[in-house]
């Protein structure tokens, strides 16, 4: 814990825990500081390996978290429950010391849900960045986290019009704002900061990521995907999520020795540089589908559905699941032309969010 006392003066308590949240929080943190709003940052410890956490704080110039709860990995109930207990204790301490902060949450991880539950029960206002996204699949833990967090939120900051419509379908119309996507801010700012000097593979390559339970936790599916994405003429570079690395070891999955390069996870700027220069992206991540579009790289998504449907309807992303024939076909033929469209905003989402946040932070309402 670097700065626990600071919570008594916090106006906003930010809760993060997983890689994509660090990227988005970096954008909002800068905007909050510029607006003179006192932020207290809580890291739940959901991601804890150096290359899943610390390198993001360093490379994004993100302030060190004020507290790291060090919850770590676990089954969903155990992990979310441990976070809930720890966040509640922290928020109660803030309240007892006279603070009444707004709780700022990102995305759809177990850290997000734990923050929402803790804040709602204590009666603190909640702002949710990336509200309204839906895969319409309740077998995805993230979908449960999203639906519940949106239901409990005071301010819902939607990246797209469709996200606003999804909320309306569920009867949520109050406190809903279409702000554009903070991830778009991040791509513009961080890609510019990355410049052209970061290392990239020589020759044509595809950039791949794989971490969803549905793709990694079944040995047959995992083997099928690794075999399908391997291509000696255009090798797939796959920075390995620790879950995927562990499953490969546990299952004894055979890693094709040609056409597939397994690597350690990389930092955000290096990732953007790798995406921008790749022939195609192969992924089951949510954020990467958008990053690929923003950087003009065709995306092949190893899922049956996506929350980012604009990437598909605009022709820059295809959904192929884990079927080898579909993956191979897309690798050979998915090649959209022209300049990539910009459905995710203009890179000013963080500024829009902060200017609204000022109006609902307890004690600052205007
Ligand atoms: C989580 C989010 C997912 C998000 C992803 C970003 C949930 C339910 N899922 O998935 O929405 O897209 O983060 O990466 O919150 N592990 C390590 N070291 C780490 C972190 C994880 O070894 O630093 C391993 C552990 O074996 C752990 C597994 O990865 O059990 C899964 O980690 P977890 O945080 O539970 O979920 P993610 O798959 O990362």
């Amino acid at each position: 814990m670097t700065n626990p006392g600071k919570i008594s003066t916090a106006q906003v308590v930010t809760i993060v825990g997983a890689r994509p949240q660090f990227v988005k929080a970096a954008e909002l943190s800068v905007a909050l500081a510029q607006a003179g709003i006192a932020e207290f940052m809580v890291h739940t410890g959901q991601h804890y390996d150096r290359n899943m956490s610390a390198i993001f704080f360093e490379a994004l110039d993100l302030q060190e978290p004020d507290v790291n709860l060090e919850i770590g990995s676990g089954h969903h109930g155990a992990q979310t429950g441990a976070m809930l207990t720890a966040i509640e204790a922290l928020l109660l301490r803030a309240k007892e010391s006279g603070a009444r902060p707004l709780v700022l949450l990102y995305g759809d991880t177990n850290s997000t849900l734990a923050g929402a539950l803790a804040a709602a029960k204590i009666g603190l206002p909640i702002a949710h960045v990336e509200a309204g996204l839906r895969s319409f699949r309740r077998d995805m833990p993230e979908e449960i986290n999203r639906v519940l967090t949106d239901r409990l939120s005071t301010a819902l900051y939607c990246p797209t019009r469709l996200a606003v419509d999804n909320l309306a379908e569920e009867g949520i119309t109050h406190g809903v704002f279409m702000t554009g996507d903070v991830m778009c801010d991040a791509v513009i700012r961080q890609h510019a900061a990355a410049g052209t000097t970061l290392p990239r593979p020589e020759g044509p390559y595809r950039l791949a990521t794989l971490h969803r339970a549905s793709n990694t936790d079944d040995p047959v599916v995992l083997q099928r995907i690794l075999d399908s994405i391997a291509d000696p003429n255009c090798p797939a570079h796959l920075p390995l999520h620790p879950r995927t690395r562990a499953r490969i070891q546990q299952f004894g999955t055979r890693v094709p020795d040609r056409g597939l390069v397994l690597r350690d996870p990389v930092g955000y700027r290096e990732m953007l540089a790798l995406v921008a220069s790749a022939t195609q992206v192969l992924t089951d991540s949510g954020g990467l589908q958008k990053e690929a579009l923003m950087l003009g790289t065709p995306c092949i998504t190893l899922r049956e559905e996506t929350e980012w449907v604009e990437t598909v309807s605009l022709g820059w992303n295809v959904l192929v699941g884990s079927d080898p024939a579909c993956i191979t076909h897309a690798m050979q033929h998915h090649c959209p032309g022209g300049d990539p469209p910009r459905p995710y905003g203009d890179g000013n989402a963080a500024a829009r969010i902060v200017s609204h946040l000022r109006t609902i932070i307890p004690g600052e309402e205007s």
Side-chain angles (χ1 to χ4, degrees):
M1 197 177 289
T2 43
N3 226 344
K6 211 175 124 190
I7 193 131
S8 60
T9 54
Q11 294 173 287
V12 168
V13 173
T14 296
I15 294 173
V16 291
R19 272 190 305 190
Q21 295 170 326
F22 309 144
V23 174
K24 293 164 209 158
E27 297 306 310
L28 258 295
S29 271
V30 170
L32 286 169
Q34 280 168 354
I37 296 172
E39 180 185 23
F40 184 92
M41 186 170 294
V42 180
H43 187 329
T44 62
Q46 179 170 351
H47 285 174
Y48 46 87
D49 287 348
R50 185 176 150 66
N51 57 20
M52 297 288 284
S53 176
I55 59 166
F56 285 81
F57 286 82
E58 292 159 13
L60 298 171
D61 301 325
L62 180 58
Q63 61 156 335
E64 279 280 295
D66 295 296
V67 56
N68 188 323
L69 303 174
E70 296 180 357
I71 302 298
S73 301
H75 291 297
H76 288 276
Q79 187 186 48
T80 311
M83 289 173 186
L84 174 57
T85 306
I87 295 169
E88 180 180 63
L90 203 67
L91 295 179
L92 282 174
R93 224 172 64 208
K95 223 176 161 186
E96 279 155 16
S97 65
R100 195 161 177 278
L102 174 143
V103 176
L104 179 57
L105 304 170
Y106 295 88
D108 55 18
T109 72
N110 289 345
S111 301
T112 315
L113 177 61
L117 289 171
K121 295 274 177 96
I122 293 174
L124 293 173
I126 300 168
H128 186 205
V129 175
E130 268 194 356
L133 297 175
R134 297 291 182 265
S135 65
F136 302 102
R137 295 212 32 181
R138 288 286 165 100
D139 58 348
M140 270 185 90
E142 290 84 0
E143 182 78 351
I144 296 167
N145 295 342
R146 288 178 200 125
V147 168
L148 295 177
T149 301
D150 283 339
R151 180 54 66 187
L152 296 174
S153 291
T154 320
L156 300 99
Y157 299 127
C158 296
T160 61
R161 178 60 46 197
L162 182 65
V164 174
D165 294 344
N166 286 340
L167 291 173
E169 283 287 316
E170 293 173 19
I172 304 175
T173 51
H174 189 67
V176 176
F177 301 91
M178 155 77 173
T179 56
D181 192 347
V182 175
M183 191 67 110
C184 187
D185 301 20
V187 171
I188 291 171
R189 208 162 65 91
Q190 300 298 341
H191 190 47
T196 52
T197 55
L198 289 171
R200 290 151 228 237
E202 278 184 23
Y205 67 94
R206 295 186 180 90
L207 191 277
T209 75
L210 197 63
H211 77 281
R212 295 278 165 202
S214 55
N215 283 333
T216 58
D217 291 5
D218 178 330
V220 177
V221 172
L222 181 59
Q223 184 70 66
R224 215 161 60 192
I225 292 177
L226 294 190
D227 288 341
S228 304
I229 66 176
D231 176 1
N233 297 318
C234 185
H237 283 247
L238 174 58
L240 265 192
H241 187 291
R243 172 210 285 276
T244 315
R245 185 177 294 282
R247 294 293 180 269
I248 288 173
Q249 278 160 5
Q250 178 190 343
F251 300 148
T253 306
R254 193 185 52 77
V255 177
D257 47 13
R258 295 182 67 229
L260 181 61
V261 182
L262 301 187
R263 318 171 42 144
D264 286 334
V266 297
Y268 191 60
R269 288 179 187 164
E270 193 178 348
M271 191 63 164
L272 293 180
L274 284 171
V275 170
S277 299
T279 307
Q280 291 171 323
V281 162
L282 292 147
T283 189
D284 59 5
S285 149
L288 207 55
Q289 297 170 46
K290 290 180 292 173
E291 285 155 353
L293 171 63
M294 291 175 211
L295 296 169
T297 304
C299 184
I300 299 169
T301 295
L302 305 164
R303 286 173 54 192
E304 306 286 349
E305 76 298 301
T306 178
E307 301 79 35
W308 304 105
V309 292
E310 302 81 11
T311 58
V312 176
S313 60
L314 292 166
W316 281 74
N317 187 12
V318 284
L319 304 176
V320 295
S322 60
D323 178 67
C326 294
I327 296 173
T328 309
H329 184 269
M331 285 165 61
Q332 288 167 354
H333 299 289
H334 179 47
C335 182
D339 289 335
R342 305 204 159 274
Y344 296 116
D346 54 6
N348 293 309
R352 272 185 213 106
I353 290 171
V354 169
S355 70
H356 180 261
L357 272 180
R358 318 180 68 112
T359 67
I360 56 164
I361 290 172
E364 292 254 321
E365 302 97 325
S366 52

